[in-house]
Amino acid sequence: MDINNITAVYFVGAGGIGMSALIRYFLSKGKKVGGYDKTPSGLTEQLNYEGAAIHYEDNVDLIPDDFTDPVKTLVVYTPAVPEDHSELCYFRGNGFEVMKRARVLGEITGCNRGLCVAGTHGKTTTSSMVAHLLKQSHVDCNAFLGGILKNYDSNLMLSDKSDLTVIEADEFDRSFHWLKPYMAVITAADPDHLDIYGTPEAYRESFEHFTSLIRQDGCLLMKQGINVTPRLQEGVKFYTYTGALDAKELSTFNSQLSTGSPDFYAENVRIGGGEIFFDFVGPDVRIPDIQLGVPVKVNIENGVAAIALAWLNGVTPEEIKHGMATFAGPRRRFDFHLKKENIVLIDDYAHHPAELKASILSVKELYAGRKVTGIFQPHLYTRTRDFYQDFADSLSLLDEVILTDIYPARETPIPGVTSKLIYDNLRPGIEKSMCKKEEILNILKDKNIEVLITLGAGDIDNYVPEIKKELEKMKNDE
């Protein structure tokens, strides 16, 4: 099927952030768009408003007539949907072209110059930074992002003058193997999704295969020290990057690593007054006094990768400085909801031990000397089973931990796997409690909250508005 010749596209699992970008793309092309998702959300309601016809019951009879012709209809599904889903079975059994989301994305972007950002963590923020840097410059771009970028209130960007396409390259279910990158970034390769990959070695090999897909006229930009051995085609350039380095750290890199110092890095970092500035350094380029629009330390590293990719594609130093200063970030990535003298509330999507560690350390540095409390909703039974000790180690960096029940997403419960596995392995003496997510507000009423961060990839963010109200009330009553 030539996806350019279809008239209708039906999405099974329409509410996912990656699926929503494709829905918006096909709506922009004038196609009829419909689909199913398990539960309504703010995102699905917005998609309905934009023209998609999404329903919330797995029922073949609810499929509109516009999507019943297999010659004219493409069906897109996410691997999170179970194989026995009745609507998916109907389409498969009646001659429809049924494609995974990742394959469709690969088909759409295959003829463009794809700037693909992959990694266990950091890829949403980094790809969003790249997209913003390009979009606000003379270069321009298209983009399919894994988060709603606040600057544009969307996860889709389209251009009528640029063939550069920024893509968040998802490693789940080896989805990023459908892509054909012009340039690629790997931000991290800490083991994850072991329910899919089985072993850390298989997970790492998946990233190594991803590097083999880069076009011969392109390049790979990889964080220094990642345990991935690139398999690059002849002609592909290879660069490394890292976050902030001072002279001593550069000397350590040069003495300990056979690869030498990274090609791109930050130095002269200044943190204070709620702001972060640094100098960007790369081969034949130095851009001083870059201001982070989202001033948390982890974004120095993300920013170096994004700036390097933008610079390699012709964005000028002046455009880079303006773009970084005006970058508002994607929703749910270190998202400030309260930022007052006596109370701070941050929501973050972190759901892997390494992400949690980076997030928590960033908060602790930004608010040194203040008590930092974290509410963590574990995501997936398998991830909790595989990494509960690592989760406990990361969360133990907090002053106080509140754990909720595991968000199951696509999984069924695993006997013996609960949040208590993490709870029991937190450092001795830490303030800690467990509750159902519906009990969060009651738990908070008895707490002394100075800085609060909600963490997780489930539905914990649904409670943030009520948490904000409760915290404001508590501080007003003091």
Side-chain angles (χ1 to χ4, degrees):
M1 174 178 282
D2 183 346
I3 62 174
N4 293 310
N5 294 331
I6 59 173
T7 61
V9 190
Y10 192 87
F11 289 81
V12 183
I17 192 68
M19 294 282 267
S20 67
L22 288 178
I23 288 173
R24 286 174 163 143
Y25 171 80
F26 284 113
L27 285 171
S28 75
K29 299 299 181 183
K31 312 294 185 184
K32 292 184 173 67
V33 178
Y36 155 89
D37 201 72
K38 188 175 182 179
T39 55
S41 66
L43 182 55
T44 58
E45 293 303 314
Q46 179 62 33
L47 293 172
N48 275 320
Y49 175 77
E50 292 173 19
I54 299 171
H55 62 265
Y56 307 101
E57 180 185 342
D58 178 15
N59 185 342
V60 173
D61 293 335
L62 295 179
I63 299 171
D65 291 342
D66 289 334
F67 307 97
T68 55
D69 184 349
V71 176
K72 298 179 180 179
T73 303
L74 169 66
V75 178
V76 185
Y77 75 101
T78 170
V81 172
E83 289 295 310
D84 61 354
H85 189 277
S86 62
E87 293 186 18
L88 189 58
C89 291
Y90 163 79
F91 288 119
R92 283 176 168 160
N94 286 278
F96 287 80
E97 184 76 48
V98 179
M99 292 185 184
K100 284 185 180 179
R101 177 190 67 84
R103 182 180 173 188
V104 177
L105 183 58
E107 293 283 340
I108 292 170
T109 61
C111 295
N112 291 359
R113 288 184 295 159
L115 307 179
C116 303
V117 182
T120 313
H121 43 85
K123 58 182 176 286
T124 298
T125 297
T126 304
S127 58
S128 297
M129 280 181 173
V130 174
H132 179 60
L133 288 173
L134 290 165
K135 197 69 181 175
Q136 57 87 53
S137 77
H138 74 283
V139 179
D140 205 3
C141 71
N142 306 275
F144 293 83
L145 304 173
I148 304 297
L149 186 48
K150 287 186 277 188
N151 292 81
Y152 306 92
D153 197 30
S154 183
N155 54 350
L156 174 70
M157 299 179 187
L158 298 174
S159 171
D160 57 6
K161 71 175 186 178
S162 175
D163 70 336
L164 290 172
T165 302
V166 181
I167 301 163
E168 180 173 329
D170 186 6
E171 79 278 8
F172 175 70
D173 199 33
R174 298 176 174 84
S175 292
F176 59 172
H177 291 175
W178 289 103
L179 303 173
K180 305 174 184 68
Y182 167 54
M183 294 185 179
V185 177
I186 298 179
T187 62
D190 305 292
D192 196 8
H193 303 300
L194 298 188
D195 55 322
I196 300 293
Y197 288 98
T199 66
E201 292 74 23
Y203 185 79
R204 184 186 69 245
E205 192 281 331
S206 186
F207 279 89
E208 293 176 351
H209 178 71
F210 171 69
T211 68
S212 73
L213 305 175
I214 300 170
R215 288 171 27 174
Q216 288 181 295
D217 60 341
C219 74
L220 169 65
L221 178 66
M222 189 165 78
K223 185 185 173 184
Q224 183 95 56
I226 289 179
N227 186 25
V228 168
T229 302
R231 302 176 188 171
L232 303 177
Q233 299 185 66
E234 185 178 353
V236 177
K237 295 177 182 177
F238 178 48
Y239 302 100
T240 57
Y241 76 95
T242 191
L245 289 183
D246 58 27
K248 182 179 178 181
E249 289 171 310
L250 274 174
S251 176
T252 301
F253 264 106
N254 288 326
S255 63
Q256 293 183 354
L257 297 176
S258 59
T259 52
S261 61
D263 297 291
F264 300 97
Y265 57 92
E267 64 179 24
N268 190 26
V269 176
R270 288 141 285 160
I271 302 176
E275 302 294 346
I276 296 178
F277 291 82
F278 65 90
D279 297 347
F280 171 80
V281 183
D284 303 318
V285 63
R286 182 185 188 92
I287 308 174
D289 300 324
I290 289 173
Q291 181 181 12
L292 279 179
V294 182
V296 290
K297 192 171 183 180
V298 69
N299 277 346
I300 299 175
E301 181 180 294
N302 295 329
V304 169
I307 294 168
L309 204 59
W311 181 75
L312 289 168
N313 283 282
V315 182
T316 68
E318 292 76 18
E319 290 170 335
I320 285 171
K321 290 183 72 168
H322 180 265
M324 291 301 295
T326 57
F327 177 70
R331 292 180 192 162
R332 296 225 61 213
R333 268 63 174 189
F334 231 90
D335 210 349
F336 283 88
H337 289 263
L338 281 173
K339 196 175 183 181
K340 299 182 178 180
E341 190 67 31
N342 62 346
I343 186 68
V344 175
L345 173 61
I346 304 166
D347 179 44
D348 194 61
Y349 192 71
H351 58 283
H352 182 277
E355 290 178 325
L356 287 175
K357 182 178 180 180
S359 248
I360 293 166
L361 288 176
S362 292
V363 176
K364 296 282 283 186
E365 181 163 6
L366 202 60
Y367 295 101
R370 299 177 68 178
K371 179 184 178 183
V372 179
T373 303
I375 303 173
F376 178 54
Q377 180 188 47
H379 186 261
L380 299 178
Y381 294 103
T382 52
R383 186 180 282 127
T384 305
R385 177 198 64 196
D386 294 337
F387 301 113
Y388 67 86
Q389 184 62 62
D390 297 319
F391 278 123
D393 291 344
S394 295
L395 290 168
S396 291
L397 296 167
L398 290 161
D399 300 304
E400 181 176 9
V401 178
I402 302 170
L403 283 165
T404 74
D405 290 341
I406 295 170
Y407 184 81
R410 58 186 179 273
E411 295 183 336
T412 55
I414 298 174
V417 178
T418 70
S419 297
K420 198 169 187 300
L421 284 173
I422 301 172
Y423 182 89
D424 289 342
N425 284 277
L426 292 167
R427 64 175 166 85
I430 191 173
E431 290 185 59
K432 60 182 183 178
S433 54
M434 290 178 59
C435 68
K436 295 185 181 299
K437 59 190 178 185
E438 296 84 3
E439 300 168 346
I440 289 174
L441 293 180
N442 286 331
I443 289 282
L444 289 176
K445 289 176 181 178
D446 299 322
K447 302 290 183 184
N448 174 31
I449 302 297
E450 296 180 17
V451 178
L452 178 65
I453 181 168
T454 55
L455 299 152
D459 61 356
I460 187 71
D461 60 308
N462 291 342
Y463 295 83
V464 170
E466 290 301 315
I467 292 172
K468 178 181 177 180
K469 288 180 183 178
E470 182 61 32
L471 292 181
E472 288 178 319
K473 180 177 180 296
M474 289 164 59
K475 292 302 176 182
N476 289 335
D477 290 344
E478 288 182 353

